Amino acid sequence: VDAFQTWCGPCKTVVDLFRKIRNEVGSDLLQFAVAEADSIDALAKYRGKSEPVFLFYAVSENTATV
């Protein structure tokens, strides 16, 4: 999950890069999502930062891990 803010121009180019990777790897192995930190309360701790924030999750049959 790419947690971004609307004012972050470089963050938008990262989205294109991840879409390219996903298309090359295949959607069965990699899921990519973007989340606007400005509008999601759970992402409030990422607001006002000037660096990209990527949240990676691995899912197994029994549990999900962060």
Side-chain angles (χ1 to χ4, degrees):
V1 178
D2 175 16
F4 75 100
Q5 294 181 71
T6 54
W7 55 264
C8 181
C11 299
K12 295 175 184 172
T13 55
V14 171
V15 171
D16 292 336
L17 174 64
F18 276 108
R19 284 187 181 138
K20 180 181 177 186
I21 293 170
R22 182 176 175 247
N23 289 337
E24 291 175 3
V25 171
S27 61
D28 291 340
L29 299 175
L30 178 65
Q31 296 294 321
F32 178 70
V34 294
E36 186 178 336
D38 295 329
S39 61
I40 301 172
D41 290 337
L43 299 176
K45 66 182 176 181
Y46 302 113
R47 294 179 191 152
K49 304 209 183 279
S50 60
E51 70 272 356
V53 175
F54 302 103
L55 307 171
F56 294 91
Y57 297 89
V59 178
S60 72
E61 292 181 16
N62 297 324
T63 62
T65 60
V66 178

